[in-house]
Amino acid sequence: AASYYAYDVGESNWRAIVLNSVSTEGPAGNQAPSCAADSPQMAFLINELNTTKNTVLFWHHARFSAGSDHPTSQGATGCSNTFYEVAHDNGADLVVQGHSHLYERYDSRDKTGTKVTGGLTSIVCGTGGNSFDTLQALPSPTPDQAFTNAWGVCKLTLNTNNAQVDFLPAPGSPGTDNATVAVRP
């Protein structure tokens, strides 16, 4: 089975692209596919982004995170950065990642994480692991929403012109968020 793939989401106008970010983030010598500019995975990504459908991308390592254990500095290099830049430059609409053990939402950002009109929205939903990260006091960039110490899942509702993102906490767990992410122009 391929370690990266894409599929149409039901009868919607959305395409989901699932990528493997481990080659630069995992242990040295791992067997994950490369995300280098000339790699098959990058050719696949660029080809998949050449679509008339809205696109939501999934990969493990967060490009931006206020988490103390898996901060933005870790996502600033390697596959996380490369995937985000290519997704941003090719009109992707939403990115969902994990790795950081917390929940974060970064609305409409450019490639450096600066808030801009018409940028790419990024969700970090790492709230199903075995521990929680703490939040940095002064993260850069600063998320639009962030919390830790909450178990739960992220529900995506992919509509014609937007994506609805809802954090659904586990019973008795704190934390709630919902946001409507407009598709990019």
Side-chain angles (χ1 to χ4, degrees):
S3 60
Y4 52 90
Y5 54 94
Y7 57 93
D8 289 335
V9 179
E11 299 297 317
S12 75
N13 65 330
W14 284 83
R15 183 95 174 138
I17 303 170
V18 181
L19 302 170
N20 188 326
S21 62
V22 175
S23 73
T24 59
E25 315 292 347
N30 73 58
Q31 299 297 306
S34 171
C35 62
D38 61 348
S39 70
Q41 184 170 212
M42 287 308 298
F44 168 83
L45 172 58
I46 291 166
N47 182 63
E48 287 297 328
L49 288 168
N50 183 20
T51 178
T52 58
K53 291 185 177 249
N54 302 329
T55 51
V56 56
L57 291 89
F58 301 91
W59 66 81
H60 182 77
H61 299 89
R63 170 59 184 97
F64 305 114
S65 179
S68 57
D69 294 344
H70 305 97
T72 291
S73 59
Q74 287 185 1
T77 60
C79 292
S80 302
N81 183 56
T82 303
F83 292 159
Y84 190 90
E85 288 188 351
V86 170
H88 179 278
D89 288 351
N90 287 277
D93 298 293
L94 178 62
V95 174
V96 179
Q97 304 132 110
H99 195 59
S100 292
H101 300 181
L102 45 74
Y103 174 87
E104 300 174 279
R105 177 172 38 84
Y106 294 85
D107 293 331
S108 194
R109 305 300 176 109
D110 69 8
K111 293 186 284 189
T112 68
T114 301
K115 205 164 184 174
V116 296
T117 301
L120 180 56
T121 295
S122 178
I123 303 291
V124 179
C125 192
T127 54
N130 64 1
S131 63
F132 294 112
D133 290 355
T134 57
L135 289 167
Q136 298 172 33
L138 297 169
S140 180
T142 301
D144 293 285
Q145 174 66 280
F147 52 82
T148 187
N149 300 329
W151 303 115
V153 297
C154 290
K155 176 185 175 186
L156 299 180
T157 305
L158 303 174
N159 302 308
T160 301
N161 295 311
N162 64 53
Q164 179 68 35
V165 179
D166 295 291
F167 178 78
L168 305 176
S173 194
T176 184
D177 185 46
N178 56 70
T180 301
V181 178
V183 298
R184 293 176 68 200

